Amino acid sequence: MNPLSPLYFIKQNKVRCIVLMFMIFLSFGAYLGGLYIYTPQENWEYACEIDDNIVEVYQLSGDSKAANYKAFREEMKKRDDVIVIEEGWYNEIDRKTVMGFTDGSLCYTFRTVDDFKLFCEHNDIECDFSNVKPKTVILSRLMADSKGYKVGSVISHDDEDNNFEYDLTVAALTEEHGYTQYYIGQDGETNNDMLLLGKGISAEEVRRYAAEIAQKYPVNFAQSLREEIDELFSIFNTIFMVVVVFLAIILSVTVNAAFVGMYQRREFEFAVYRAIGIPKKSIILKIVGEIVLMDVIVLAVGGALFFLGLYLFNELVLIPDGLYLVYSAPIAIIALVLCNVMTVVPLIITRSRILLRANVCDY
């Protein structure tokens, strides 16, 4: 095999190269961290899709605003292309995220079963309504698994993780790909909130018409859930990227220090290359080839092992508890690339500059 071949050195120094490749593999720690940071945000994606199809309106504070709210509601009910669903008292069950902190999820309370059926039809949600009645809750399977609930489970209102006035029974589980919770309250209870659903028209069209009515009868429009989630998690993403930069610097210094020892022992080898007239370009290509080849092996083999481990961790540990880690996320990819580039590029530059100065006369 050609001594200038990148593979030649790796084959001759397998153990040492495996140790160095393992150190480069540690950059996958940044990728894993990115998955942990992104997953709680991704948990809300399905809820945001639901929210994008709905216009939520609520009464401005103060008893004097009740007349405006009622007038607005009656105006909206006159339209054949808008479905008005009045909400009941606010209810919510908190859940634990994969990061360990407590979070909520999409939740609505309906005053009647018929209102909930209209909501399900609008959002293509399949549900078994046979047990659905007042004082019951319908959970997505993920939400139920995260809390350990099943159909028929009675949820106490005294539980500190819950926010409702009376005990509720789990009436059904939906197969939605997100964390959702829907409550059937009692006819007559109201939270002075309403959901507006388009009937053959888009939510944006409903919002435009509602905004026109609101000029005459002022009400509040709920902020886009997507905007709320983006604002909430932006600080997490910023802090994580700052941490990644520091991690990349530490990893770069550590890996470069490990490579220094290995390449110092090879200065005579490169001095001989120069002495026998091998061009600098060929020497640089050898150095670059060795480092890049090790990096590619790490990304390929290490990546395969990483995702296998992640799959087993999801299937055996997280999913049974109603949790999961996503397999890919933009912030995780950026973190991995940043750590990898800040490790490999300085390594190539420093090793090339030093080894090109090696002189056989020094030996």
Side-chain angles (χ1 to χ4, degrees):
M1 181 179 289
N2 184 356
L4 291 179
S5 169
L7 191 58
Y8 177 81
F9 171 74
I10 295 176
K11 290 187 68 174
Q12 297 298 316
N13 299 269
K14 295 185 183 69
V15 175
R16 191 175 298 168
C17 287
I18 288 174
V19 173
L20 293 173
M21 286 189 284
F22 175 76
M23 297 183 70
I24 298 176
F25 173 75
L26 295 178
S27 60
F28 273 95
Y31 186 85
L32 181 62
L35 299 184
Y36 268 98
I37 289 293
Y38 181 76
T39 297
Q41 184 174 350
E42 192 274 342
N43 289 163
W44 283 95
E45 180 56 32
Y46 175 74
C48 290
E49 292 174 6
I50 295 289
D51 183 73
D52 289 342
N53 289 323
I54 294 172
V55 178
E56 187 168 12
V57 179
Y58 55 95
Q59 178 184 318
L60 292 169
S61 60
D63 293 338
S64 61
K65 307 298 182 181
N68 283 333
Y69 176 83
K70 292 177 181 178
F72 174 90
R73 181 185 61 200
E74 295 308 312
E75 285 293 321
M76 296 305 300
K77 284 183 175 181
K78 292 178 182 178
R79 288 188 64 103
D80 294 331
D81 53 3
V82 176
I83 299 172
V84 179
I85 296 179
E86 295 183 66
E87 296 186 71
W89 294 337
Y90 178 76
N91 299 286
E92 184 180 23
I93 301 171
D94 290 332
R95 63 181 179 84
K96 293 291 185 181
T97 68
V98 71
M99 289 182 65
F101 63 82
T102 300
D103 200 1
S105 63
L106 182 75
C107 54
Y108 294 118
T109 300
F110 301 91
R111 300 203 312 174
T112 68
V113 176
D114 288 338
D115 283 346
F116 178 54
K117 287 181 178 180
L118 288 173
F119 178 87
C120 289
E121 291 172 6
H122 181 74
N123 293 289
D124 296 323
I125 299 171
E126 295 185 7
C127 177
D128 178 4
F129 293 95
S130 56
N131 296 317
V132 178
K133 57 186 178 181
K135 293 188 178 181
T136 60
V137 57
I138 299 88
L139 304 174
S140 66
R141 191 168 297 278
L142 270 175
M143 187 69 193
D145 289 344
S146 71
K147 300 295 293 184
Y149 296 146
K150 299 179 180 179
V151 173
S153 295
V154 177
I155 309 175
S156 172
H157 71 282
D158 293 327
D159 192 319
E160 62 180 9
D161 289 337
N162 303 334
N163 183 12
F164 38 81
E165 298 295 326
Y166 38 72
D167 293 351
L168 295 166
T169 302
V170 178
L173 303 181
T174 67
E175 298 299 336
E176 297 167 276
H177 56 279
Y179 295 91
T180 60
Q181 45 188 304
Y182 309 113
Y183 298 86
I184 310 299
Q186 300 178 90
D187 197 11
E189 67 180 37
T190 179
N191 200 30
N192 289 331
D193 289 13
M194 71 179 83
L195 303 177
L196 306 177
L197 315 179
K199 192 176 180 180
I201 61 174
S202 68
E204 189 57 38
E205 291 176 285
V206 174
R207 184 176 292 276
R208 282 199 298 267
Y209 179 75
E212 293 176 8
I213 302 300
Q215 292 179 6
K216 184 177 180 181
Y217 306 111
V219 292
N220 266 352
F221 291 87
Q223 181 186 6
S224 165
L225 180 59
R226 196 176 295 278
E227 292 176 1
E228 288 186 41
I229 298 305
D230 288 344
E231 291 174 6
L232 178 64
F233 285 97
S234 61
I235 184 65
F236 286 92
N237 297 336
T238 301
I239 293 173
F240 174 70
M241 290 311 301
V242 172
V243 172
V244 166
V245 170
F246 281 104
L247 176 62
I249 293 172
I250 294 172
L251 194 59
S252 177
V253 171
T254 304
V255 172
N256 272 271
F259 270 81
V260 165
M262 183 177 72
Y263 275 85
Q264 276 181 339
R265 299 184 180 91
R266 303 178 63 198
E267 288 186 6
F268 179 73
E269 172 192 343
F270 285 89
V272 171
Y273 290 151
R274 293 197 60 198
I276 62 178
I278 293 178
K280 287 185 178 180
K281 181 179 179 181
S282 297
I283 296 175
I284 292 175
L285 288 175
K286 174 177 173 59
I287 297 170
V288 172
E290 290 174 358
I291 295 173
V292 170
L293 180 57
M294 283 189 277
D295 190 43
V296 169
I297 293 173
V298 168
L299 294 177
V301 178
L305 293 174
F306 174 85
F307 284 108
L308 175 61
L310 179 57
Y311 172 78
L312 294 175
F313 184 57
N314 262 331
E315 294 297 322
L316 300 179
V317 179
L318 295 181
I319 292 177
D321 288 334
L323 301 171
Y324 64 89
L325 273 172
V326 296
Y327 290 94
S328 178
I331 194 170
I333 294 172
I334 292 172
L336 176 61
V337 171
L338 182 62
C339 284
N340 195 260
V341 169
M342 288 185 66
T343 299
V344 172
V345 172
L347 183 61
I348 291 173
I349 294 173
T350 56
R351 293 307 95 208
S352 297
R353 292 180 60 184
I354 291 174
L355 293 175
L356 284 176
R357 292 200 297 264
N359 193 324
V360 74
C361 296
D362 294 336
Y363 300 92

